[in-house]
Amino acid sequence: MKAVITTTARYVPERIMTNFDLEKMVKTSDEWIRTRTGIAERHVVEKGQTSSFMATKVAKILLHKSKTSPEDIDLIIIATVTPDMLFPATAALVQDNIGAHKAWGFDLSGACTGFLYALETGRLLVESGKYNKAIVIGVDTMSSILDYTDRNTCVLFGDGAGGVLLESSKKENGVMDSILSLDGSGGKYLHMPAGGSLLPASHDTVDKKLHYLKQEGKTVFKFAVKKMADVCLEILERNGLTCEKIKLFIPHQANKRIIDAAAQRCGFTEKQVLININKYGNTTAATIPIGLDEAVEDGVIQNGDLILLSAFGAGFSWGSMLLRWG
Ligand code: UT7
């Protein structure tokens, strides 16, 4: 039994925040942001819109496009570091919103690699033969944990959601291979210090701005380029492939310079690499499924094509997945 992605979907909030908007908030410039990151604008939620709001939009599009009844969904996995609340899980809120009464589900915290972790988990559960249909979504409301007075971080991220419907199939397509990794010694370089059991919310944690994302950008940058390139080369080699055989490389969108450097080290041509960071910024768990849905919509991916996904993020976490489409 294989697990095949039969449908893709994405949702980004309507409101757009441009680099020029950010120029009015912190000491930055459109020129700096574009040249250092490749970002021109990002989407951000309105007050009251949440990760479950965006994930529900994606789940409903998946059901509509695939003409699937919510009652037929067995499993919902949501990758996010910005759930609506610590519990119940975002998956529970989405399950209720779409009326998937027979589904179970959970949230998974894998930061920027979250969608790959979730896709691996979902596909193994479907491949076990016990579950037929799983919704796997990557969603993050990064604007809810950004300090809009810190130019080092607030210009980098955006809000969004993307997802897939995984269905059991006897075809030989689907996830062909995966390599997923974690190195917790990198945790201190990209994290949100407070709000968990270590530092529960208090006046002190709020005063010290500990409920915001903190990042040592340069350190993360170096690891990201190396690990993303290494893991892609490893998965290609162990499948007896060279990068010419890959129709599309969909990397996590954290910085265009990271993508360019990793793609160059692997030997991908510009045409083989999906880049949309200019429109969305870094939407954390959502970058890869948003890119996948755009590629499907634009007709870039055809049945039988090999697709390579790769991500790097907080943890440090990273990984790569090889898909055969259709
Ligand atoms: O998805 C999760 C994984 N995250 C990542 O992969 C992010 C990895 N890191 C990066 O993408 C880059 O390191 C950044 C985009 C975060 C920063 O780029 P950089 O080329 O590493 O810049 P830097 O941190 O070395 O900063 C260079 C200068 C500094 O000024 P001084 O000290 O040289 O005077 C910063 O203060 O740029 C300054 N700077 C800014 N200037 C204008 C930092 N942020 C800004 C800004 N606007 N927004």
Side-chain angles (χ1 to χ4, degrees):
M1 194 65 79
K2 291 287 280 183
V4 170
I5 295 174
T6 56
T7 317
T8 61
R10 67 181 187 278
Y11 174 82
V12 289
E14 276 172 32
R15 188 173 145 216
I16 291 174
M17 186 185 282
T18 65
N19 293 345
F20 299 105
D21 295 327
L22 283 158
E23 281 181 0
K24 294 176 201 137
M25 298 157 78
V26 285
K27 199 162 176 289
T28 190
S29 65
D30 174 59
E31 205 263 333
W32 191 96
I33 303 171
R34 274 178 201 268
T35 53
R36 294 297 182 108
T37 72
I39 302 167
E41 58 189 35
R42 71 287 291 142
H43 292 248
V44 290
V45 293
E46 300 289 353
K47 202 169 176 344
Q49 294 178 338
T50 62
S51 290
S52 74
F53 167 82
M54 293 190 285
T56 298
K57 294 266 187 201
V58 167
K60 285 184 175 171
I61 299 169
L62 289 172
L63 293 174
H64 178 75
K65 273 191 184 174
S66 63
K67 300 189 176 64
T68 301
S69 158
E71 299 285 336
D72 290 335
I73 300 298
D74 300 307
L75 174 63
I76 299 171
I77 306 177
I78 310 263
T80 186
V81 290
T82 51
D84 289 26
M85 56 199 87
L86 282 178
F87 66 91
T90 315
L93 306 175
V94 172
Q95 184 250 16
D96 185 44
N97 289 344
I98 64 173
H101 303 300
K102 292 182 185 152
W104 66 289
F106 54 92
D107 289 4
L108 182 155
S109 173
C112 298
T113 316
F115 182 75
L116 296 192
Y117 283 8
L119 187 57
E120 175 80 338
T121 309
R123 72 109 170 177
L124 289 171
L125 285 165
V126 170
E127 286 176 3
S128 77
K130 189 163 179 192
Y131 307 103
N132 284 318
K133 292 183 197 290
I135 286 179
V136 177
I137 292 174
V139 57
D140 271 301
T141 311
M142 296 308 290
S143 61
S144 68
I145 57 165
L146 288 178
D147 176 359
Y148 282 100
T149 64
D150 175 14
R151 69 177 183 176
N152 290 295
T153 52
C154 75
V155 305
L156 304 173
F157 296 89
D159 301 336
V164 299
L165 178 65
L166 272 178
E167 297 188 67
S168 57
S169 161
K170 295 218 163 59
K171 286 186 196 164
E172 277 308 297
N173 295 345
V175 178
M176 309 302 286
D177 196 8
S178 60
I179 302 175
L180 298 170
S181 303
L182 186 64
D183 176 0
S185 68
K188 54 188 172 291
Y189 301 114
L190 177 50
H191 66 154
M192 190 179 106
S197 55
L198 177 65
L199 292 171
S202 67
H203 287 294
D204 190 46
T205 60
V206 172
D207 290 345
K208 288 182 175 151
K209 298 187 166 194
L210 299 179
H211 297 270
Y212 291 127
L213 175 149
K214 315 277 177 195
Q215 175 173 245
E216 253 184 56
K218 261 201 186 335
T219 309
V220 181
F221 188 102
K222 274 189 223 144
F223 271 89
V225 172
K226 176 163 172 29
K227 295 296 184 187
M228 266 179 37
D230 285 354
V231 77
C232 288
L233 290 169
E234 188 184 344
I235 205 167
L236 288 174
E237 194 190 337
R238 82 177 189 189
N239 285 276
L241 296 166
T242 52
C243 53
E244 298 83 61
K245 299 275 188 251
I246 300 296
K247 180 65 191 288
L248 191 65
F249 173 46
I250 307 181
H252 170 54
Q253 312 280 313
N255 187 322
K256 184 168 182 298
R257 289 187 295 139
I258 295 177
I259 299 171
D260 289 345
Q264 199 185 0
R265 270 195 57 195
C266 293
F268 288 114
T269 63
E270 228 174 87
K271 220 178 135 210
Q272 284 174 294
V273 185
L274 185 139
I275 296 181
N276 60 15
I277 191 172
N278 51 314
K279 295 186 283 183
Y280 305 122
N282 180 352
T283 55
T284 304
T287 63
I288 289 178
I290 288 175
L292 188 61
D293 185 51
E294 287 191 332
V296 171
E297 190 173 276
D298 295 344
V300 178
I301 305 175
Q302 305 298 330
N303 283 351
D305 284 344
L306 286 171
I307 319 291
L308 189 66
L309 313 178
S310 185
F312 182 90
F316 292 137
S317 58
W318 68 96
S320 186
M321 285 178 103
L322 181 67
L323 314 178
R324 187 178 292 283
W325 199 250

